[in-house]
């Protein structure tokens, strides 16, 4: 994705943010860590990001390399970008907290939509702004359609892996609609979901968003 950003500033800034986002995502998605450990990691990372954005962070060679990435990213944000980028950064952080809170829970369709908006739509808005891509009035509509579509596709592709990690990517309303009453911790739950129209229905929604 960073190779699609033409100018050096945008490409550099996006590469730094992308590297940081992916590293944190890999850390907190590990099935081996507890919910409490995830919360502590997110709180610690928020302190580092906040300090960097406020020119109060000093890198130490003992710190993880991702702190250096966020340090240089913050340098660019503070010097070359507007306040809207900061708002998007904190919405992305909030999406990670929302993901943590839904672990082990079946959430409503409204909660899932809010999560996708913060996690996927805002992610693409960050990409467009940092990359300084001139999409005019189409920037936010493209981010919404593409973000929701790719967010839902990611949930389908990772459905079983996410379930093993405690994330249930089917909503309360969909379970009721398809008559799926098995406990998500029960092995039969996956079979019932696969036999239901769930994947087909979600796929049609994804296709409709991409066509739009």
């Amino acid at each position: 994705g960073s190779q699609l950003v033409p100018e050096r500033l945008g490409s550099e800034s996006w590469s730094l943010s992308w590297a940081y986002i992916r590293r944190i995502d890999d850390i907190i998605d590990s099935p081996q860590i507890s919910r409490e450990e995830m919360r502590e990691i997110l709180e610690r990372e928020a302190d580092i990001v906040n300090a960097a954005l406020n020119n109060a962070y000093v890198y130490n060679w003992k710190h993880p390399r991702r702190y250096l990435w966020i340090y240089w990213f913050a340098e660019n944000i503070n010097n070359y970008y507007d306040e809207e980028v900061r708002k998007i950064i904190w919405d992305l952080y909030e999406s990670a907290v929302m993901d943590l809170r839904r672990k082990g829970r079946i959430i409503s369709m409204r909660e899932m939509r809010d999560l996708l908006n913060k996690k996927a739509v805002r992610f693409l808005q960050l990409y467009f702004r940092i990359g300084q891509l001139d999409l005019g009035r189409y920037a936010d509509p493209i981010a919404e359609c593409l973000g929701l579509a790719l967010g839902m596709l990611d949930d389908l592709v990772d459905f079983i892996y996410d379930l093993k990690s405690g994330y249930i990517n089917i909503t309360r309303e969909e379970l009721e609609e398809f008559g799926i009453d098995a406990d998500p911790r029960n092995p039969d739950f996956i079979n019932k979901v696969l036999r239901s129209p769930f994947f087909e229905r979600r796929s049609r929604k994804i296709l409709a968003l991409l066509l739009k």
Side-chain angles (χ1 to χ4, degrees):
S2 63
Q3 302 311 307
L4 299 176
V5 179
E7 302 298 333
R8 178 177 176 181
L9 172 64
S11 182
E12 175 188 276
S13 301
W14 179 248
S15 295
L16 289 164
S17 58
W18 172 246
Y20 178 80
I21 288 169
R22 289 308 315 157
R23 182 68 188 123
I24 291 301
D25 196 50
D26 289 343
I27 291 172
I28 64 176
D29 273 355
S30 171
Q32 281 75 40
I33 66 173
S34 67
R35 186 197 299 262
E36 183 62 26
E37 288 173 316
M38 290 171 65
R39 186 184 62 79
E40 290 174 357
I41 290 169
L42 287 175
E43 288 179 352
R44 185 168 63 247
E45 295 301 314
D47 288 340
I48 295 295
V49 173
N50 192 50
L53 289 171
N54 287 292
N55 298 310
Y57 172 68
V58 178
Y59 181 71
N60 184 302
W61 66 272
K62 294 181 180 179
H63 292 176
R65 185 177 299 175
R66 67 180 182 274
Y67 290 176
L68 189 59
W69 299 339
I70 206 65
Y71 170 79
W72 286 113
F73 172 73
E75 283 280 298
N76 285 351
I77 294 303
N78 290 330
N79 291 327
Y80 303 108
Y81 294 94
D82 60 32
E83 188 64 25
E84 180 61 21
V85 173
R86 287 172 173 256
K87 295 177 183 176
I88 296 174
I89 290 168
W90 291 115
D91 274 350
L92 286 171
Y93 173 76
E94 188 177 339
S95 78
V97 176
M98 290 170 69
D99 242 355
L100 170 61
R101 289 173 179 166
R102 79 178 179 106
K103 193 171 185 179
R105 293 175 52 235
I106 299 171
I107 63 176
S108 69
M109 198 167 287
R110 180 177 178 179
E111 288 176 287
M112 184 67 78
R113 178 66 181 246
D114 289 344
L115 177 60
L116 286 174
N117 270 317
K118 280 195 164 59
K119 180 164 63 172
V121 176
R122 295 296 267 173
F123 177 84
L124 281 171
Q125 288 176 338
L126 182 70
Y127 174 66
F128 293 158
R129 281 172 170 77
I130 287 180
Q132 298 180 320
L133 299 175
D134 186 12
L135 301 175
R137 63 189 179 91
Y138 296 106
D140 287 342
I142 290 174
E144 181 176 7
C145 290
L146 196 56
L148 291 175
L150 295 180
M152 285 193 286
L153 179 60
D154 186 61
D155 285 348
L156 292 187
V157 171
D158 291 341
F159 189 88
I160 294 176
Y161 175 81
D162 285 350
L163 189 62
K164 290 178 179 178
S165 300
Y167 299 105
I168 304 162
N169 294 336
I170 184 169
T171 66
R172 190 181 307 126
E173 289 88 345
E174 287 168 321
L175 289 173
E176 292 174 359
E177 180 184 356
F178 303 138
I180 301 171
D181 56 359
D183 189 315
R185 293 167 294 185
N186 190 316
D188 195 43
F189 178 78
I190 293 175
N191 291 329
K192 288 190 174 184
V193 172
L194 291 175
R195 289 196 300 265
S196 77
F198 168 68
F199 277 83
E200 181 183 355
R201 294 276 185 88
R202 280 284 184 95
S203 297
R204 288 184 178 184
K205 289 181 180 179
I206 291 168
L207 183 58
L209 284 164
L210 293 176
L211 289 173
K212 183 179 179 182

